[in-house]
Amino acid sequence: MKELMNILVYITYDGILDPLGQSQIAPCVKNAAKTFDIVYVLSWEKPLNLAGLLDTSCFPDKVVWIKRKFNKGPSRKVGDLISMIWTLFFTVLKLGGRKKIVIHCRGHVGAAATWLACMVLQRMRNILVLFDYRGDWISERVDKGGWSYDSLLDRLSINVWRWLEFKVLHWADHINTLTARSAERISDIYSVDREKISVIPCAVDNSLFKVDPDARMRLKSFFPDLSPETVVLGYLGSIGPMYRFYSFVNLAKILVSQNPRKKFIFFVMTN
């Protein structure tokens, strides 16, 4: 009897064309292609990023990348969720029989869409689901200002997503999260079996990120007066409310008051 084909369907609301996607998701997809016979990637990309596509030649031939447009605004988010459900449903449906399918849901939106689509699909296919929890996305949206408890509509959205979160956490075959504390919280608050939760922290691939001996010379394009005694501190990442960027600014003020030779450089991207 012919062996089952192992297929991974990776669904993410975070675009691969975002800096985060290029640093976290793209390497994950390439590594997965070493294990699975075929990898389908379903991602929702910002229109600005779609204008200059990432070179897909970095992916092996066995990776099929299906891109959809990411939309802003509450009503359009509902449209994105519906788009995710239908895209996933028809992607899995067209794969046919005699296949073992693993669906990797990165984040809450992808997981909710998968749960809704699989109400039918799991009865028809040999499917396992991994909920890549990442973090408490609902609380993060409140911290960022995307939702407010002062708004009746936002409170309704929060309650709906908490309900969906509860359903998906109990339904998924396995869950992975970033920290041991997060795993304990999921297990305690939602009464999820701790044995089905794995902790996979964010990490750095040292084969990609190396110390550059010429870095100081390159910095002269930013700081022409750079001397061997100058200390340069860098900030790389987002500066939204939840990241407490003001704390780094306060640190910069204190350090400069102590030593005027200190320099600061910020690498941020917002769109």
Side-chain angles (χ1 to χ4, degrees):
M1 184 179 291
K2 187 178 178 181
E3 286 189 13
L4 291 173
M5 286 187 68
N6 290 313
I7 297 178
L8 173 68
V9 179
Y10 191 110
I11 182 167
T12 170
Y13 200 43
D14 295 317
I16 295 181
L17 299 175
D18 286 335
L20 179 146
Q22 294 179 42
S23 64
Q24 293 186 12
I25 303 174
C28 178
V29 169
K30 287 191 284 186
N31 284 328
K34 299 174 184 177
T35 303
F36 291 87
D37 297 310
I38 305 174
V39 177
Y40 285 84
V41 181
L42 316 180
S43 69
W44 272 252
E45 308 290 343
K46 296 182 177 69
L48 182 65
N49 292 338
L50 286 171
L53 285 177
L54 177 72
D55 182 7
T56 56
S57 63
C58 66
F59 290 144
D61 292 338
K62 61 171 69 175
V63 175
V64 180
W65 186 10
I66 300 172
K67 297 174 286 293
R68 296 289 185 264
K69 189 174 78 170
F70 175 95
N71 293 291
K72 290 186 176 181
S75 60
R76 293 184 177 183
K77 294 287 186 188
V78 174
D80 281 354
L81 181 61
I82 295 171
S83 171
M84 293 183 98
I85 294 168
W86 283 108
T87 303
L88 176 64
F89 182 86
F90 285 109
T91 298
V92 174
L93 197 64
K94 73 179 182 181
L95 292 177
R98 299 223 48 79
K99 295 178 177 66
K100 183 186 293 183
I101 300 170
V102 176
I103 303 178
H104 182 139
C105 318
R106 180 186 170 91
H108 285 59
V109 180
T114 302
W115 177 63
L116 292 166
C118 281
M119 284 183 179
V120 175
L121 287 172
Q122 271 198 321
R123 298 173 187 170
M124 305 164 58
R125 299 284 183 269
N126 186 11
I127 296 174
L128 295 174
V129 176
L130 169 66
F131 181 10
D132 190 353
Y133 184 84
R134 313 303 300 169
D136 187 352
W137 174 75
I138 299 165
S139 295
E140 288 174 2
R141 277 193 59 81
V142 175
D143 291 343
K144 288 178 181 178
W147 283 330
S148 170
Y149 283 104
D150 295 331
S151 165
L152 179 61
L153 182 60
D154 287 353
R155 288 201 304 273
L156 176 62
S157 298
I158 292 168
N159 290 333
V160 168
W161 277 102
R162 284 296 181 200
W163 178 79
L164 286 169
E165 180 184 54
F166 178 86
K167 289 290 186 181
V168 173
L169 285 169
H170 283 270
W171 164 79
D173 295 287
H174 200 77
I175 302 160
N176 70 261
T177 187
L178 300 178
T179 66
R181 181 69 189 92
S182 176
E184 292 168 7
R185 179 182 180 277
I186 293 169
S187 179
D188 293 344
I189 294 179
Y190 295 100
S191 301
V192 175
D193 183 1
R194 182 63 180 81
E195 292 298 315
K196 83 169 198 175
I197 307 173
S198 297
V199 177
I200 304 178
C202 285
V204 173
D205 185 345
N206 289 324
S207 68
L208 298 176
F209 296 91
K210 302 176 182 178
V211 175
D212 182 358
D214 299 321
R216 183 165 288 272
M217 292 301 298
R218 298 180 198 279
L219 285 173
K220 277 191 171 291
S221 61
F222 298 99
F223 307 115
D225 60 340
L226 196 69
S227 69
E229 294 77 28
T230 304
V231 176
V232 180
L233 298 179
Y235 182 98
L236 174 64
S238 300
I239 59 175
M242 66 177 290
Y243 299 100
R244 300 181 180 177
F245 178 66
Y246 62 85
S247 297
F248 189 84
V249 174
N250 290 336
L251 172 65
K253 290 178 181 178
I254 293 170
L255 294 177
V256 169
S257 67
Q258 295 174 349
N259 182 356
R261 286 188 173 180
K262 285 189 171 67
K263 304 287 186 183
F264 297 85
I265 187 166
F266 303 90
F267 296 92
V268 299
M269 178 179 178
T270 57
N271 58 6

